[in-house]
Amino acid sequence: MTYEQAKANWQASNPPRHYLSITDLNPHTAQAVLELAHAMKRATRKGQELFRFARPTGLAMIFEKPSLRTRVTLEVGLYQMGAHGVYLTQSDIQMGKREAVMDIARNLGRWVQGVIARVFLHTALEELARFSEVPVINALSDREHPCQALADLMTVQEWKGAQPLTLAWVGDGNNVCHSFTLLAALLGHRMRIATPEGYAPDDAILQQAQAFAAQSGGSIELLHDPRAAVADADVVYTDVWVSMGYETEREARMRKFLPFQLNEELLRLAKPDAMVLHCLPARRGEEITDAVLDGAQSAVWDQAENRLHTQKALIALMLG
Ligand code: CP
Ligand code: NVA
């Protein structure tokens, strides 16, 4: 796969202007990103780059919340492709306080070729996109983490190939769960989601995922028993029990999520060669044990590496 082939597939498949949600993709655009990401990974590991921006290109990187993986992979990825990312924290721009979101969008569009934003409220991203003359990419909101899901499914393809699989989500029906479920459904996987009562994914997201699954031949099953979700699964995924922005709920959540810990006993119910995903950062000893995170079935370091390649592929296709 060359960049030009991937770009032609992307262009021919109704590509999105903004990337706020997995619902901005279809099976063809999703596959174009993943195929280019695989090829870019092989090239980068050999010290080569499949794509470099022909013109001077700058992107604004707005982060209202902390980040290790997303920030480093974006900054390094942009550098490798000959672009520059400007890192802006909430204390710098105070989006919505120092200045209205729509005015920030209008300013940025005069200086940069794209805006990447990690925000508390998904509605802030929608407002940025509404008033932005340049593409806006979601680097995590309370609703979705669509850059993460691309890396997740790339890692699944590396470990298991592209055939339909049984994917189990155990824990909070949160932003990462939303994007993973949507992309899994778009690509035809069987998805089982086990959350405590009251922490299921959002209804509208589930409806959209069901619609994708109906088209792709996948399925979505909602459960409250982690053992039933993990039974004979090919992939087992968990995330923190307390996402950024939900810290005041910590005590109540810890009690309810305890039976959902991904430990060796739970993992033994999955297929013997099942792979383990976690978007990271992990709270070792809470949602996942050391033995599982550091075990032979853990794909989390590949998954973290793939944040780099998938974001590069996405940005090259959207802005190249
Ligand atoms: N998985 C992820 O988005 O990590 P960061 O919060 O460190 O960016
Ligand atoms: N669900 C987590 C993901 C962090 C990458 C959060 O939103 O904090």
Side-chain angles (χ1 to χ4, degrees), residues 66-71 118 140 145 148 244 279-281 307:
S67 167
L68 173 70
R69 278 145 292 274
T70 309
R71 179 185 174 183
R118 168 168 288 196
L140 181 147
H145 197 357
Q148 179 70 51
M244 294 180 278
C279 57
L280 305 176
R307 295 295 306 280

Side-chain angles (χ1 to χ4, degrees), residues 65 118 140 145 174-176 239-240 242-244 279-281:
K65 302 179 187 181
R118 168 168 288 196
L140 181 147
H145 197 357
N174 63 16
N175 46 5
V176 173
D239 184 14
V240 288
V242 185
S243 282
M244 294 180 278
C279 57
L280 305 176

Side-chain angles (χ1 to χ4, degrees), residues 50-66:
L50 289 190
F51 172 81
R52 286 184 68 83
F53 283 97
R55 304 183 194 185
T57 301
L59 285 93
M61 298 173 29
I62 299 171
F63 278 76
E64 292 187 336
K65 302 179 187 181

